Amino acid sequence: MSAIRAYLGDLFQLAPYGILTAGALLLLVAPLGGSKRESKPMLTAVAVLSVLGAAFSLFLLPTLEGKAGPFLVHDRIGFGFGLTFLFLLLLVLPLLPTQTVKLKERPSAVLSLFLLSACGGLLMIFTDHLLVFFIGLELLSIPLYILCGLGADSKKGSEAAFKYFLLGAIASAFFVYGIALFWGSVGTVRISEISGAVAPSAVRSHGLATVAMVLMFTGVAFKIGSAPFHMWVPDVYEGAPATVVSWMAGGVKAAALVVALRLFGGTEIFQTPLWSQVVSAVAILSMVWGSLGALYQTNMKRMLGYSAVAHAGYALIALVCAMEGAFPEAAASLAFYVLAYGVATMASFLVFSFEEDEGRSAIRDLGGLAIRKPALAFALAVALLSLAGLPPLGGFMGKFNIFVLAAHHGHYGLVIVALLTSIISLGYYLRLIVSAYMEKPAHAASLPVHAAMGTALAVTVVVTFVLGLIPGSAIALFSGVP
Amino acid sequence: MRNSLLSQIIFAPLLAAVLIAAIPKRFVRLTQAVGGFGMLLTWALSCSLFLGFDPDRTGFQFSEFVSWIPFYGISYSVAVDGISLVLILLTTTLSCLALLASYRVIQERVKEFVLALLALETTMVGTFAAVDLFLFYVFWEAVLIPMYFVIGVWGGPRRIYATLKFFLYTAAGSVLMLVGILALYSLHKDQFGTLSTAMTDLYRLRLPVETQITFFVLFALAFAIKIPIFPFHTWLPDAHVEAPTAGSVLLAAILLKLGGYGFFRLALPLFPAASVAAAPYLAILGIAGILYGAFAAWAQEDVKKLVAYSSVSHMGFVVLGIASLTPSAMAGAVFQMVAHGVSTGALFLLVGVLYERRHTRMLADFGGLAKVTPRLATAFLIITLTSIGLPGLAGFVGEFLVLTGTFRSTFLPHPGWLTAFASVGIVLGAAYMLAMYERVFLGEVKFEENRLLQDLNLREGITLLVPVLLALWLGLKPGIVLSRIETAVLSIQRTATSGEKVSDDREGDRP
C-alpha cells in the first residue's frame, strides 16, 4: 500500500506539467466535436482551469512525499518564479479568445499553444538538469514562434515570426551544443552536482568548459533579450500580436532568468571575476542600448521592446550579485522584480492590444486615451511609471531591492548606470503618458473594453500598488523569511 | 506625544481624493466642494499641530512610528521639528488658496485637477514630515507625478516641453540622491550592524571627510536642482510660466522649499565636515543666483516670467543663509522660505488674476490699472513691497537675518564683500518689482480694454487677503515663526559646524 502511495506521490510530482499538457491536448481536440461545440467561454474555462489546477498542485507539492526523480527540483526559488509565471498567464488567458482580433479565429489552437508554452516554462523553472532546461526551452519557444505568426496578415507579422523562429532556433542550438560540450568537459549535466562535489579542478578541459559556458550563456542571454543578443526583440515585439507579446515579455523572461540564475549563480564554475565582468558588461550594454534605442521609436510596441532590453539589463545586475555569492538574496530580489516588471509590462501591452485591435500602432495614435477610455489610460500610466521606477509603485521597489543588493556588493558603477538609464527611460515612458493624457483625442470613442481586459488591468494596478506600498509580504515570500 | 495628528494631516487630502474619485465627473461643484473641504480640514489640523508644538523642546515632536518593511529596516516614521512645522503649515495654507484660485478658471477635467492638487498636497506634506530616509525619498519623488500632470494637462502652449524638462531635470537629481541613500544604508549596516533608514540612526554615522564630500555632492545636487541654485535653474522659468495659476503657486511656494528643507534635514546634519568645506562655494552660487535672477527678472516683458526669475533671486538668499552656517543666517533662510512662499504664491495668484481678465501677461499690454481696479492694485502693491523686503512686511525679516548672519559668518571668506554683493540683490529687487508695478498699474490707462476690467471679486479677494494679512503679520510679529524654528535651527547649526553630532532627543520610544 505504501509502495503505491509512494509511487503515486512520485507521480504527483509531475502533476502541474501533466495538467497543463492534458488541458492543451483537450483544447486541441475540441474543434473535432464540430464547430457548434466550440464555444469560446468553455474553451477559456478549460484553459483557466488547467492553469489553476497546475498552480494548485504546485502548492500541494511540498506537503506530499515523493521525489521528482532526477530531473525536477521543487525548491523555494522555483515556487516564487513559478507562481509569478502562472499568475501572469492567468491574467492574459481569458483575453485571448475575446479581444485580440488576429487570434479570435482559432481560440482553441491559441489557448492550447499557450498552455504548452507554459508547461515548457514551468519545466525550465523547476529543474536543475541542463537537458530539461533545453526541453523546457524548446517547449516554451516553439508554440510562441507559431503564435507570433498566427493571424499574420501583414508583412510585419510574418517577419516577426520568422525572425523569432530563426534566431531562436540558432540560440537554442548554441545552448544545446554548449550543454554537450559542458558534459564532455565536466562530466555531469546536473547543476547541483557541479556546485557541490565537483570542484573546478575536476574539470577535464578548461578550454572546452569555457567554450561550453560561452555557448550556454549566449543561448540564455538571447532568450532574456539582453544586448548584444537583443536584435530580435524590437522586431518581434512590433510584429507579433500584443497579447502574445505581453506574455512573452513577462513570462518568458521569468523562465529564462531562472535558468540564468541557476546556471550562472548556482555553480562555482561561473563564480569567477571574469564572468562577473562579462555579465556586468552585458548588463550595462543592455541598459544603455535599450534605453537609448527606445527614445526615438514611434511605434508603441517597438518602444516597449527596447525597454524590455533595458529591463533585462537591470535583472542582470541581480545576476551579477548572485554570481558573487549572494545567491539567495539575488534570487529573491529577482523574483520580486520579475513580478513587478511582468505585471507592468503586461498591463502596457494589453492596453496596446486594445489600440491594435482598432488598427493603431503609432505612439501619437494613443492621443487622448485618457478622454476616450480613462480606465485604460490610468492603468497604462500606472504601469509605465512603475516600469520607470517611480515610487510608490512596484517597479521602484523591485529596482530598489536590486540596487540595495548591488550597492552592498560594491557595484556602484552598475547602480549609477542603472539609475541614469532609468532617467532616460522616463523620457520615453513620459512621452507615452503625454500622448495618452495631454493630447486631444485623435479618434472618436470606439470599441468597448471587454470585461476580461478590465479585470486583468485592474489586477495589475492593484498588484503594482501593493508591491510598491506593502512589499513586505512579497519580499518575505520570495526570500523565505517567515 | 503619541497620537496620529501628523498622519492625519498627511493623508487627509488623499482620503478626500479617494472620495472624489467616486463622484461622477459631471458633478463639478460637488467635486470642488469636497476637495475644498478636505483641504480646509487639513489646514485646520495643521493649525492645531502648530499650536500644539512646544517651541522650547529640542528634538522632534508628534512622532509616529510604524514598521513598514522590516526586511530592510524601513519604517513609516514621521515627526516635526520647528522647520518642518512652519513649512507644513505653509503647504496646507497655500494648497487651499491654490484650489480656491482655480475655481472657475479650470473648466476642463476639473475632477482630475482637484485629484492632482490633493495628491500633490499629500506628497508635499509627507516630504516635510518624513524622518525615515526611504520614506522621504518616496514622497520626494512622488511629488513630481501630480505636478507633472498639472503642468502638462492644464498648462500653457509650451506645457509639454516645460513639464518634461521639469520632470526629467528634477528626477535626474533625485536619482543621484538615491545612489547616496543606498550607499548610506550600506555604510550604516557596516558600521552599526543593523539595517535602518531612520534619519536619527543615520545621523550617528561617522564618515571620513572625503566620503562626506562625495555624499554631500550627491545630495546637494538633488536639492540644488529643486531650489534651484544657479546654474541648475533652467527648468524653472518654463515650468512656472507654462503651469496653470494653481500649479505655479504650489511650484514656487512649496516645491522650491523642498530643496532648502533638504539641506537642513539631510545635507547639513549628515555630512557636517563636507558642509563646512562646501560653504564658500554654496555662498558664491547663492549670490550668483540672487544677482542673476534679479537681472534676468529686470529684463522680462512677461510678468509671469519676471516673477519666476524673482523666485530664483529670492531663493538665492535661502542658499546664502544655509551656506553661512550661523544661527541667524540659517534662521533667516527658514524664515525667507516661509515669507517667499507667501509672497511669491501671492504674486502668481495676482498674475493669474491679470491673465484671466486680459489673456495676456506682457507688461506692454497694461498700464494705469490702479484707476480701474483699485483693490487689485492695493493687494499687488503690498505683495510687491513684501517681495522687495520692505521693513514691516514679511520679506524684510528673512533677508535681514540672512545678511547679518552672513556678515558675521566665520565659515565664509570675505564675508563683508559677500554681504555687500548680496545686498545689491535687494536693490535690484526693488528696481524690477517697482518698475513692473509702475508699468502695470501707474500712469495713464493706455488701452481701452483695460478700462473695462473688473476689480477683484469675492473669491479672488479672499485668496489674496490671506497672503496680504500673512505678509503683514509675519512682518510685524516674526516671532511666531522665529520662536518655533529656533531650537531646530540651533541644533542643526551646532551639528553642522562642530564636527560632533549633537544628539537630537527623539520624542517617544520606538516600540
Side-chain angles (χ1 to χ4, degrees):
Chain A
M1 198 55 208
S2 61
I4 298 183
R5 249 221 271 141
Y7 178 66
L8 284 176
D10 284 350
L11 214 53
F12 194 79
Q13 300 287 326
L14 300 175
Y17 320 100
I19 295 177
L20 283 175
T21 316
L25 293 173
L26 199 62
L27 285 167
L28 266 182
V29 302
L32 294 178
S35 56
K36 293 185 202 101
R37 295 274 183 94
E38 185 181 329
S39 88
K40 288 191 191 160
M42 182 125 77
L43 292 174
T44 318
V46 170
V48 170
L49 279 174
S50 310
V51 176
L52 285 175
F56 185 62
S57 57
L58 268 183
F59 267 119
L60 286 181
L61 280 173
T63 64
L64 293 174
E65 299 168 12
K67 295 181 299 297
F71 299 114
L72 297 172
V73 54
H74 293 123
D75 60 0
R76 181 158 211 110
I77 299 171
F79 275 113
F81 281 93
L83 287 174
T84 304
F85 188 78
L86 290 176
F87 174 66
L88 289 172
L89 184 63
L90 267 177
L91 282 180
V92 77
L93 222 41
L95 280 160
L96 292 166
T98 60
Q99 189 78 21
T100 313
V101 166
K102 295 180 192 165
L103 303 178
K104 268 203 275 221
E105 313 298 318
R106 311 173 189 79
S108 60
V110 168
L111 288 171
S112 154
L113 286 172
F114 260 87
L115 287 182
L116 285 173
S117 178
C119 183
L122 276 188
L123 278 176
M124 281 170 83
I125 292 175
F126 282 107
T127 182
D128 73 338
H129 192 289
L130 288 177
L131 279 178
V132 180
F133 274 155
F134 177 69
I135 296 175
L137 183 65
E138 291 296 275
L139 192 52
L140 174 76
S141 312
I142 296 179
L144 284 176
Y145 303 153
I146 304 175
L147 283 167
C148 283
L150 257 186
D153 36 305
S154 72
K155 279 200 230 160
K156 279 228 158 64
S158 312
E159 179 190 347
F162 196 61
K163 204 173 248 185
Y164 194 24
F165 166 61
L166 205 54
L167 293 175
I170 295 178
S172 300
F174 271 51
F175 190 58
V176 75
Y177 193 29
I179 294 177
L181 291 180
F182 195 71
W183 185 80
S185 62
V186 176
T188 173
V189 273
R190 299 202 66 196
I191 293 181
S192 50
E193 285 173 15
I194 303 171
S195 52
V198 182
S201 56
V203 172
R204 278 177 224 142
S205 158
H206 276 282
L208 203 58
T210 313
V211 171
M213 291 195 285
V214 169
L215 288 172
M216 285 196 288
F217 180 73
T218 309
V220 175
F222 170 89
K223 220 51 197 177
I224 297 177
S226 52
F229 313 106
H230 69 286
M231 305 292 203
W232 60 277
V233 177
D235 295 319
V236 172
Y237 278 35
E238 185 185 1
T243 33
V244 175
V245 180
S246 71
W247 163 244
M248 281 170 52
V252 171
K253 230 195 197 79
L257 280 171
V258 176
V259 174
L261 194 61
R262 287 200 206 271
L263 187 54
F264 305 125
T267 61
E268 276 153 21
I269 299 194
F270 278 101
Q271 289 173 10
T272 62
L274 183 63
W275 271 108
S276 287
Q277 283 173 352
V278 168
V279 180
S280 299
V282 171
I284 294 179
L285 204 60
S286 304
M287 291 189 277
V288 172
W289 203 335
S291 305
L292 292 178
L295 273 179
Y296 294 99
Q297 298 304 323
T298 52
N299 178 301
M300 325 174 202
K301 290 194 293 174
R302 213 179 159 77
M303 174 187 272
L304 275 202
Y306 273 107
S307 106
V309 174
H311 281 281
Y314 303 135
L316 284 176
I317 298 180
L319 194 63
V320 172
C321 299
M323 289 164 71
E324 294 179 346
F327 186 74
E329 297 96 334
S333 45
L334 204 53
F336 189 100
Y337 185 73
V338 163
L339 180 59
Y341 167 74
V343 156
T345 311
M346 176 159 283
S348 320
F349 276 108
L350 288 182
V351 174
F352 292 165
S353 82
F354 177 80
E355 291 288 298
E356 193 175 63
D357 282 347
E358 309 194 333
R360 295 193 286 269
S361 58
I363 292 179
R364 60 166 184 279
D365 292 336
L366 266 182
L369 188 64
I371 300 183
R372 288 183 283 135
K373 296 269 182 248
L376 287 187
F378 180 67
L380 182 65
V382 168
L384 290 175
L385 290 175
S386 177
L387 286 176
L390 281 175
L393 299 170
F396 168 69
M397 205 60 221
K399 284 190 180 166
F400 182 77
N401 286 336
I402 296 184
F403 294 159
V404 166
L405 192 61
H408 207 68
H409 285 262
H411 291 292
Y412 286 104
L414 283 176
V415 173
I416 292 182
V417 172
L419 287 171
L420 289 176
T421 49
S422 291
I423 295 296
I424 298 178
S425 76
L426 267 176
Y428 49 84
Y429 291 132
L430 287 181
R431 191 143 56 91
L432 286 169
I433 300 182
V434 162
S435 206
Y437 271 91
M438 298 170 196
E439 285 172 16
K440 297 283 173 235
H443 338 267
S446 45
L447 297 178
V449 176
H450 198 270
M453 159 103 60
T455 319
L457 287 174
V459 170
T460 59
V461 169
V462 168
V463 170
T464 302
F465 273 110
V466 165
L467 285 179
L469 290 171
I470 334 170
S473 32
I475 296 182
L477 174 71
F478 290 132
S479 53
V481 174
Chain B
M1 249 165 285
R2 181 162 287 290
N3 58 20
S4 63
L5 182 58
L6 205 43
S7 292
Q8 289 170 19
I9 299 177
I10 297 175
F11 290 109
L14 201 60
L15 222 66
V18 168
L19 282 174
I20 288 180
I23 302 177
K25 61 183 168 194
R26 59 182 185 280
F27 294 120
V28 169
R29 291 294 136 81
L30 182 62
T31 306
Q32 286 168 327
V34 173
F37 180 72
M39 285 197 176
L40 277 174
L41 180 64
T42 314
W43 176 79
L45 290 172
S46 66
C47 286
S48 117
L49 185 80
F50 188 80
L51 294 170
F53 184 81
D54 182 352
D56 303 314
R57 213 170 351 173
T58 52
F60 290 106
Q61 298 179 28
F62 291 99
S63 56
E64 300 170 36
F65 175 89
V66 175
S67 187
W68 181 18
I69 312 178
F71 189 78
Y72 285 121
I74 295 175
S75 52
Y76 171 81
S77 245
V78 292
V80 283
D81 67 359
I83 302 177
S84 37
L85 178 76
V86 298
L87 290 171
I88 289 178
L89 192 54
L90 183 71
T91 308
T92 53
T93 312
L94 278 156
S95 300
C96 293
L97 294 180
L99 185 63
L100 191 56
S102 48
Y103 188 76
R104 265 196 224 282
V105 175
I106 302 284
Q107 301 277 18
E108 298 182 356
R109 302 168 77 174
V110 179
K111 175 175 164 182
E112 283 102 326
F113 188 77
V114 177
L115 285 176
L117 284 190
L118 288 169
L120 194 56
E121 189 176 3
T122 289
T123 50
M124 292 190 296
V125 175
T127 314
F128 287 126
V131 286
D132 176 289
L133 193 51
F134 182 83
L135 186 65
F136 175 86
Y137 183 78
V138 168
F139 276 123
W140 173 276
E141 287 283 286
V143 165
L144 297 180
I145 303 175
M147 185 52 89
Y148 159 77
F149 280 105
V150 166
I151 301 180
V153 178
W154 295 277
R158 287 174 74 226
R159 61 188 183 278
I160 305 294
Y161 167 75
T163 198
L164 278 177
K165 193 155 89 163
F166 156 73
F167 196 107
L168 292 177
Y169 212 146
T170 315
S174 311
V175 139
L176 289 175
M177 182 164 68
L178 183 60
V179 177
I181 293 177
L182 291 172
L184 271 183
Y185 181 64
S186 216
L187 281 168
H188 182 270
K189 182 162 182 216
D190 292 337
Q191 277 195 17
F192 293 101
T194 55
L195 293 169
S196 169
T197 49
M199 288 183 195
T200 46
D201 285 339
L202 295 173
Y203 287 158
R204 293 185 292 152
L205 277 175
R206 295 260 177 281
L207 301 167
V209 183
E210 302 80 34
T211 321
Q212 282 196 24
I213 293 185
T214 319
F215 276 115
F216 186 85
V217 167
L218 287 174
F219 277 78
L221 258 175
F223 304 140
I225 294 176
K226 240 336 195 256
I227 287 181
I229 302 183
F230 181 91
F232 302 107
H233 66 283
T234 48
W235 60 270
L236 185 137
D238 284 311
H240 273 99
V241 169
E242 299 299 325
T245 302
S248 301
V249 167
L250 291 175
L251 185 54
I254 314 293
L255 256 70
L256 304 190
K257 315 303 179 284
L258 291 174
Y261 174 75
F263 272 105
F264 280 102
R265 181 63 73 233
L266 296 174
L268 293 185
L270 284 171
F271 318 117
S275 307
V276 172
Y281 303 101
L282 264 185
I284 293 178
L285 286 178
I287 295 177
I290 296 175
L291 297 175
Y292 173 82
F295 279 116
W298 206 357
Q300 294 304 321
E301 284 294 317
D302 178 336
V303 187
K304 210 168 180 188
K305 216 162 192 179
L306 187 152
V307 176
Y309 276 110
S310 85
S311 275
V312 176
S313 187
H314 287 298
M315 289 308 284
F317 276 98
V318 174
V319 176
L320 183 60
I322 294 174
S324 303
L325 293 175
T326 56
S328 27
M330 288 168 72
V334 178
F335 196 96
Q336 172 76 337
M337 287 203 279
V338 177
H340 175 258
V342 170
S343 70
T344 235
L347 277 173
F348 279 110
L349 287 172
L350 289 163
V351 171
V353 165
L354 281 177
Y355 182 76
E356 278 137 37
R357 286 168 175 49
R358 288 273 283 120
H359 291 287
T360 172
R361 294 185 304 254
M362 304 314 261
L363 287 174
D365 293 333
F366 294 104
L369 291 188
K371 298 190 176 78
V372 184
T373 56
R375 291 199 290 266
L376 177 63
T378 314
F380 218 118
L381 182 64
I382 297 180
I383 298 298
T384 300
L385 294 173
T386 310
S387 181
I388 291 175
L390 197 72
L393 294 169
F396 171 71
V397 180
E399 289 177 353
F400 182 75
L401 282 174
V402 167
L403 288 174
T404 50
T406 306
F407 193 73
R408 290 192 293 217
S409 169
T410 51
F411 298 96
L412 300 176
H414 308 292
W417 282 107
L418 292 177
T419 316
F421 275 115
S423 317
V424 172
I426 303 192
V427 178
L428 290 173
Y432 63 78
M433 289 302 282
L434 291 177
M436 184 255 293
Y437 190 82
E438 194 256 343
R439 286 183 70 182
V440 175
F441 287 99
L442 304 179
E444 289 304 314
V445 181
K446 277 196 249 147
F447 297 99
E448 276 315 305
E449 312 83 82
N450 290 344
R451 280 189 206 281
L452 305 169
L453 288 182
Q454 302 273 2
D455 206 346
L456 297 175
N457 61 33
L458 180 62
R459 174 187 60 89
E460 290 163 339
I462 297 179
T463 52
L464 288 171
L465 188 64
V466 172
V468 163
L469 288 178
L470 275 176
L472 282 163
W473 194 15
L474 289 175
L476 294 172
K477 281 192 151 298
I480 28 171
V481 168
L482 288 176
S483 64
R484 285 176 172 80
I485 65 178
E486 187 178 346
T487 38
V489 168
L490 275 175
S491 109
I492 295 178
Q493 193 266 344
R494 250 184 268 132
T495 309
T497 54
S498 67
E500 289 250 18
K501 302 270 169 78
V502 178
S503 75
D504 265 347
D505 285 341
R506 190 151 180 274
E507 169 70 20
D509 290 328
R510 284 238 211 124

